[in-house]
Amino acid sequence: MFTILPPARGLATLVQGYWFVEDLPGEHAGSDIRTSPVPYAVLSVNLGRPNAEENGRLVPGVSLLGLQSQNRVWRSWSDTYFVMVMLTMPGLVRLFPHTGPSSADRLLELGAVTGDAPAISLKNNVGSALEPRRIAEVLDLWLMSRLGNSQAVPESKQMAIALHTLQRGDTVETAAKLAGTDRRHLNRLFRRHLGIGPKEFASLERLHSSLQSVQAGMGDSEKGYSDQAHQIRSWRERLGVTPGAYSRAARTQLTEHFGTKNPLSGIAYYF
């Protein structure tokens, strides 16, 4: 079962959606599930048996994964059922301030970030809901409570402006100017709050847009690249495959659902 549900309206700029993945019968048990680099963060809550990372280590019951600049591989088995809160970068900065560098490409136990009590509360409340729409309501309440009980970091507005500017394909210089700062200071802000610089973030956005275009068969997959050779080099470096080879390859069920059947979801994630 694969499902995407939207967050409450007050969370729309911070949360892209709630993604549910369920394989209780274990049809995909033991299979490698690959995820692409993506300019989003993920708060995950396991309702079933926790899946495993590529090295065999079990993932935490409730975890936070920051901005993902690398491929990841995990394996499921019977009783797999989890929900992912797909956090935008402004969402990561606002809801989990000061965690970007420690969580970038790294899965953290949520209790280490929020303290044990909030993490346990989230785990228990989600676990008692079970049905996706009810779980989405629980997630809305938990995230809205966190939003109301914490103050935004002083640079959050600058970060939001710069992130939006880079997402639409503008240069780092333009992003810095619109955010009211210079390139050097913007680089410090990005590294302080996301764990990477604005230039690398723009590269991830470009790759993400290209992968999404190829998955959905929509848009210009070379947009933002100087030429096709540049696009191919980026794909090989980040994804280990060329756009042409990927477009001809058989798609996994997760890719079909999240990347192809739901192109407006905004995330090319499974591949």
Side-chain angles (χ1 to χ4, degrees), residues 51-87:
N51 48 289
E53 297 187 77
E54 188 176 13
N55 60 11
R57 184 172 70 92
L58 294 182
V59 304
V62 190
S63 62
L64 177 68
L65 175 65
L67 188 146
Q68 299 167 72
S69 66
Q70 304 171 7
N71 292 334
R72 297 186 68 248
V73 178
W74 58 271
R75 298 185 179 97
S76 69
W77 37 50
S78 59
D79 297 325
T80 289
Y81 184 20
F82 59 90
V83 57
M84 299 184 293
V85 180
M86 306 301 289
L87 298 165

Coordinates of all heavy atoms in Angstrom, one line a residue, residues 51-87:
N51 N 12.5 -1.4 9.2 CA 13.3 -1.9 8.1 C 14.8 -1.7 8.5 O 15.2 -1.2 9.5 CB 13.0 -1.2 6.8 CG 12.9 0.3 6.9 OD1 12.0 0.8 7.6 ND2 13.9 1.0 6.4
A52 N 15.6 -2.2 7.6 CA 17.1 -2.2 7.8 C 17.8 -1.3 6.8 O 17.4 -1.2 5.6 CB 17.6 -3.6 7.8
E53 N 18.9 -0.7 7.2 CA 19.8 0.0 6.3 C 20.6 -1.0 5.5 O 20.6 -2.2 5.8 CB 20.7 1.0 7.1 CG 19.9 2.1 7.8 CD 20.8 3.1 8.4 OE1 21.3 3.9 7.6 OE2 21.0 3.1 9.6
E54 N 21.4 -0.5 4.6 CA 22.1 -1.4 3.7 C 23.1 -2.3 4.5 O 23.4 -3.5 4.1 CB 22.9 -0.6 2.6 CG 23.6 -1.4 1.5 CD 24.2 -0.6 0.5 OE1 24.3 0.7 0.7 OE2 24.6 -1.1 -0.6
N55 N 23.7 -1.8 5.5 CA 24.6 -2.5 6.3 C 24.0 -3.5 7.3 O 24.6 -4.1 8.1 CB 25.5 -1.5 7.1 CG 24.8 -0.6 8.0 OD1 23.6 -0.8 8.3 ND2 25.5 0.4 8.6
G56 N 22.6 -3.5 7.3 CA 21.9 -4.5 8.1 C 21.4 -3.9 9.5 O 20.7 -4.5 10.2
R57 N 21.9 -2.7 9.8 CA 21.5 -2.0 11.0 C 20.0 -1.6 11.0 O 19.6 -1.0 10.0 CB 22.3 -0.8 11.3 CG 22.0 -0.1 12.7 CD 23.1 1.0 12.9 NE 22.9 2.1 12.0 CZ 22.1 3.2 12.3 NH1 21.5 3.2 13.5 NH2 22.1 4.1 11.5
L58 N 19.2 -1.9 12.0 CA 17.8 -1.5 12.0 C 17.7 0.0 12.1 O 18.4 0.6 12.9 CB 17.1 -2.2 13.2 CG 17.0 -3.7 13.1 CD1 16.2 -4.2 14.3 CD2 16.3 -4.2 11.8
V59 N 16.7 0.5 11.4 CA 16.5 2.0 11.6 C 15.8 2.2 12.9 O 15.1 1.4 13.4 CB 15.7 2.5 10.4 CG1 16.4 2.2 9.1 CG2 14.3 2.0 10.4
P60 N 15.9 3.4 13.4 CA 15.2 3.7 14.7 C 13.7 3.7 14.5 O 13.2 3.9 13.3 CB 15.7 5.2 15.0 CG 17.0 5.3 14.3 CD 16.8 4.5 13.0
G61 N 12.9 3.5 15.5 CA 11.5 3.5 15.4 C 10.9 4.8 15.0 O 10.0 4.9 14.2
V62 N 11.5 5.9 15.5 CA 11.2 7.2 15.0 C 12.5 7.9 14.7 O 13.4 8.0 15.5 CB 10.4 8.0 16.1 CG1 9.9 9.3 15.5 CG2 9.3 7.2 16.7
S63 N 12.6 8.5 13.5 CA 14.0 9.0 13.1 C 13.8 10.3 12.3 O 12.8 10.6 11.8 CB 14.7 8.0 12.2 OG 14.0 7.7 11.0
L64 N 14.9 11.0 12.2 CA 15.0 12.2 11.4 C 16.2 12.1 10.5 O 17.3 11.8 10.9 CB 15.2 13.5 12.3 CG 15.4 14.8 11.5 CD1 14.1 15.2 10.8 CD2 15.8 15.9 12.5
L65 N 16.0 12.2 9.2 CA 17.0 12.2 8.2 C 17.0 13.6 7.5 O 16.0 14.0 7.0 CB 16.8 11.1 7.2 CG 17.7 11.0 6.0 CD1 19.1 10.7 6.4 CD2 17.2 10.0 5.0
G66 N 18.2 14.3 7.6 CA 18.2 15.6 7.0 C 18.4 15.6 5.5 O 18.1 14.6 4.9
L67 N 18.8 16.7 5.0 CA 19.0 16.8 3.5 C 19.8 15.7 3.0 O 20.8 15.4 3.5 CB 19.6 18.2 3.2 CG 19.6 18.6 1.7 CD1 19.5 20.1 1.6 CD2 20.9 18.1 1.1
Q68 N 19.3 15.1 1.9 CA 20.0 13.9 1.4 C 20.7 14.2 0.1 O 20.1 14.4 -1.0 CB 18.9 12.8 1.1 CG 18.2 12.4 2.4 CD 17.0 11.6 2.1 OE1 17.1 10.4 1.7 NE2 15.8 12.2 2.3
S69 N 22.0 14.2 0.1 CA 22.9 14.5 -1.0 C 23.4 13.2 -1.7 O 24.1 13.3 -2.7 CB 24.0 15.4 -0.6 OG 24.9 14.7 0.3
Q70 N 23.1 12.1 -1.1 CA 23.6 10.8 -1.6 C 22.5 9.8 -1.8 O 21.4 9.9 -1.2 CB 24.6 10.2 -0.6 CG 25.8 11.1 -0.2 CD 26.6 10.6 0.9 OE1 26.4 9.5 1.4 NE2 27.6 11.4 1.4
N71 N 22.8 8.7 -2.6 CA 21.9 7.6 -2.7 C 21.8 6.9 -1.3 O 22.8 6.9 -0.6 CB 22.4 6.6 -3.7 CG 22.3 7.1 -5.1 OD1 21.5 8.0 -5.4 ND2 23.2 6.6 -6.0
R72 N 20.6 6.3 -1.1 CA 20.5 5.5 0.1 C 19.8 4.2 -0.3 O 19.1 4.1 -1.3 CB 19.6 6.1 1.2 CG 20.2 7.4 1.8 CD 19.4 7.9 2.9 NE 19.5 7.0 4.1 CZ 18.5 6.3 4.6 NH1 17.3 6.4 4.0 NH2 18.6 5.6 5.6
V73 N 20.2 3.1 0.4 CA 19.6 1.8 0.2 C 19.1 1.2 1.5 O 19.7 1.3 2.5 CB 20.6 0.8 -0.4 CG1 20.0 -0.6 -0.6 CG2 21.2 1.3 -1.7
W74 N 17.8 0.7 1.5 CA 17.3 0.0 2.7 C 16.6 -1.2 2.2 O 16.3 -1.4 1.0 CB 16.4 1.0 3.5 CG 15.2 1.5 2.8 CD1 15.2 2.7 2.1 CD2 13.9 1.0 2.7 NE1 13.9 2.9 1.6 CE2 13.1 1.9 2.0 CE3 13.3 -0.1 3.2 CZ2 11.8 1.7 1.7 CZ3 12.0 -0.4 3.0 CH2 11.2 0.6 2.2
R75 N 16.3 -2.1 3.2 CA 15.6 -3.3 2.9 C 14.4 -3.5 3.8 O 14.4 -3.2 4.9 CB 16.6 -4.5 3.1 CG 17.8 -4.5 2.1 CD 18.6 -5.8 2.3 NE 19.8 -5.7 1.4 CZ 21.0 -5.4 1.7 NH1 21.2 -5.0 3.0 NH2 22.0 -5.4 0.8
S76 N 13.3 -4.0 3.2 CA 12.1 -4.3 3.9 C 12.0 -5.8 4.2 O 12.8 -6.6 3.7 CB 10.9 -3.8 3.2 OG 10.7 -4.6 2.0
W77 N 11.0 -6.1 5.0 CA 10.6 -7.5 5.2 C 9.2 -7.6 5.6 O 8.5 -6.5 5.5 CB 11.5 -8.2 6.2 CG 11.9 -7.3 7.4 CD1 11.1 -6.6 8.1 CD2 13.2 -7.1 7.8 NE1 11.8 -5.9 9.1 CE2 13.1 -6.2 8.9 CE3 14.5 -7.6 7.5 CZ2 14.2 -5.8 9.6 CZ3 15.6 -7.1 8.2 CH2 15.4 -6.2 9.2
S78 N 8.7 -8.7 6.0 CA 7.3 -8.8 6.4 C 7.0 -7.8 7.5 O 7.9 -7.6 8.4 CB 6.9 -10.2 6.7 OG 7.7 -10.7 7.8
D79 N 5.8 -7.3 7.6 CA 5.4 -6.4 8.7 C 6.0 -5.0 8.5 O 6.0 -4.2 9.5 CB 5.7 -6.9 10.1 CG 5.0 -8.2 10.4 OD1 3.8 -8.3 9.9 OD2 5.5 -9.1 11.1
T80 N 6.5 -4.7 7.3 CA 7.0 -3.3 7.1 C 5.8 -2.4 6.9 O 4.9 -2.6 6.1 CB 7.8 -3.2 5.8 OG1 9.1 -3.9 6.1 CG2 8.1 -1.8 5.4
Y81 N 5.7 -1.3 7.7 CA 4.7 -0.3 7.6 C 5.2 1.0 8.3 O 5.5 1.0 9.5 CB 3.4 -0.7 8.3 CG 2.2 0.2 8.2 CD1 2.2 1.2 7.2 CD2 1.2 0.1 9.1 CE1 1.1 2.0 7.1 CE2 0.1 1.0 9.0 CZ 0.0 1.9 8.0 OH -1.0 2.8 7.9
F82 N 5.4 2.0 7.5 CA 5.9 3.3 8.1 C 5.3 4.5 7.4 O 4.8 4.4 6.2 CB 7.4 3.3 8.1 CG 8.1 3.2 6.8 CD1 8.4 4.3 6.0 CD2 8.4 2.0 6.2 CE1 9.0 4.2 4.7 CE2 9.0 1.8 5.0 CZ 9.3 3.0 4.3
V83 N 5.4 5.6 8.0 CA 5.0 6.9 7.4 C 6.1 7.8 7.4 O 6.9 7.9 8.4 CB 3.8 7.5 8.2 CG1 4.1 7.7 9.6 CG2 3.3 8.8 7.5
M84 N 6.3 8.6 6.3 CA 7.4 9.6 6.2 C 6.8 10.9 6.1 O 5.9 11.2 5.2 CB 8.2 9.3 5.0 CG 8.9 7.9 5.0 SD 10.0 7.7 3.6 CE 8.8 7.6 2.3
V85 N 7.2 11.8 7.0 CA 6.9 13.2 6.9 C 7.9 13.9 6.0 O 9.1 14.0 6.4 CB 6.8 13.9 8.2 CG1 6.5 15.4 8.1 CG2 5.8 13.2 9.2
M86 N 7.6 14.3 4.8 CA 8.5 14.8 3.8 C 8.6 16.3 4.1 O 7.8 17.1 3.8 CB 8.1 14.6 2.4 CG 7.8 13.1 2.1 SD 9.3 12.0 2.3 CE 10.3 12.5 1.0
L87 N 9.7 16.7 4.8 CA 10.0 18.1 5.2 C 10.7 18.9 4.1 O 11.7 18.5 3.6 CB 10.8 18.1 6.5 CG 10.2 17.4 7.7 CD1 11.3 17.2 8.7 CD2 9.1 18.2 8.3

